[in-house]
Amino acid sequence: MLEIRNLQARYGDSQALFGIDIDVKAQGGVALLGRNGAGKSTLLKSLLDAGPQSSGQIRLDGRALDGLSTEARARLGLALVPEDRRIFTTLTVRQNLELAWHAGTPGSARMSVDHVCALFPLLKDLLDRLGYQLSGGQQQLVAVARGLMASPRLLLLDEPAEGLAPKVAQDLARQVGEARHKLGLTVLVAEQSIAYARQCTEYVYLLDSGVLVFQGDWAAFDAQPALKTRYLAV
Ligand SMILES: Nc1ncnc2c1ncn2[C@@H]1O[C@H](COP(=O)(O)OP(=O)(O)O)[C@@H](O)[C@H]1O
Ligand SMILES: [Mg+2]
């Protein structure tokens, strides 16, 4: 469903991605691993044309995204849950979710607050809380739920486990995996946490200094333990 070919990205004079090729199959779960500064966020932002200057081909269901605005790409079904989560801290969880709903395209399939609560039951008890009253894990849950409000086809998660206790991160990853299967959603997850990424994906790309250094399924990744020590801070 997503085909990335020869993606280059730069910030001014500094190049961050060098000729990346990535394929994500419909309803697949793909992990983009790499340490800090590897280029994971740059790649996700390039897909939405939100930040870095990029070149190369990006196709969604065969349709080239060149020249399309961030909003137009979102309308085609891309949703990014950014690294910093960007929850409105002075609004309630319900208001945060409703805002995302209003930002969606009228007439297109959008998910109701009840629907996302059915997917993530923990949300129900949080609806009346203000953003600043949430723990990191709860904020991340709201950020993911908010990403789903527009019924995206491809959900891009940028380091969802960052700053979360391992147990909280694992629970969240499991819920994302379940939501994926229930919704037939395609997911691309940028992570440093192998444990998290493994829970909600089948296939791995490993990025280092803007270059892909490995791709394969988790069994192939595990068969090369040197990858972890060399390219991830484990
Ligand atoms: N806004 C920016 N301006 C200039 N350089 C940036 C910017 N954002 C990221 N970079 C650089 O691009 C490279 C990749 O960063 P990033 O995509 O954020 O990595 P990751 O998400 O894997 O930690 C790094 O060298 C980083 O310093
Ligand atoms: Mg990042």
Side-chain angles (χ1 to χ4, degrees), residues 148-213:
L148 290 177
M149 292 299 287
S151 290
R153 311 198 28 250
L154 175 57
L155 184 66
L156 310 168
L157 299 175
D158 197 353
E159 296 212 37
E162 198 182 15
L164 304 186
K167 165 84 170 69
V168 175
Q170 291 280 347
D171 283 352
L172 190 63
R174 192 175 34 74
Q175 290 186 53
V176 167
E178 284 168 15
R180 226 192 96 194
H181 292 297
K182 281 186 195 149
L183 299 173
L185 192 67
T186 310
V187 180
L188 177 58
V189 190
E191 257 307 335
Q192 301 190 48
S193 160
I194 295 173
Y196 184 105
R198 191 189 285 283
Q199 291 260 346
C200 52
T201 61
E202 294 91 39
Y203 202 80
V204 182
Y205 287 89
L206 179 57
L207 195 59
D208 188 61
S209 303
V211 177
L212 283 178
V213 290

Side-chain angles (χ1 to χ4, degrees), residues 72-87:
R73 294 176 192 215
R75 280 198 295 277
L76 288 177
L78 290 179
L80 172 64
V81 178
E83 219 165 355
D84 57 11
R85 294 166 197 164
R86 286 188 219 155
I87 298 291

Side-chain angles (χ1 to χ4, degrees), residues 80-100:
L80 172 64
V81 178
E83 219 165 355
D84 57 11
R85 294 166 197 164
R86 286 188 219 155
I87 298 291
F88 292 100
T89 53
T90 57
L91 299 182
T92 64
V93 168
R94 181 187 290 280
Q95 287 168 330
N96 268 282
L97 295 174
E98 285 172 351
L99 260 184

Side-chain angles (χ1 to χ4, degrees), residues 35-42 45 83 158-159 162 190 192:
R35 62 162 73 97
N36 250 338
K40 304 181 296 300
S41 299
T42 300
K45 286 177 192 163
E83 219 165 355
D158 197 353
E159 296 212 37
E162 198 182 15
Q192 301 190 48

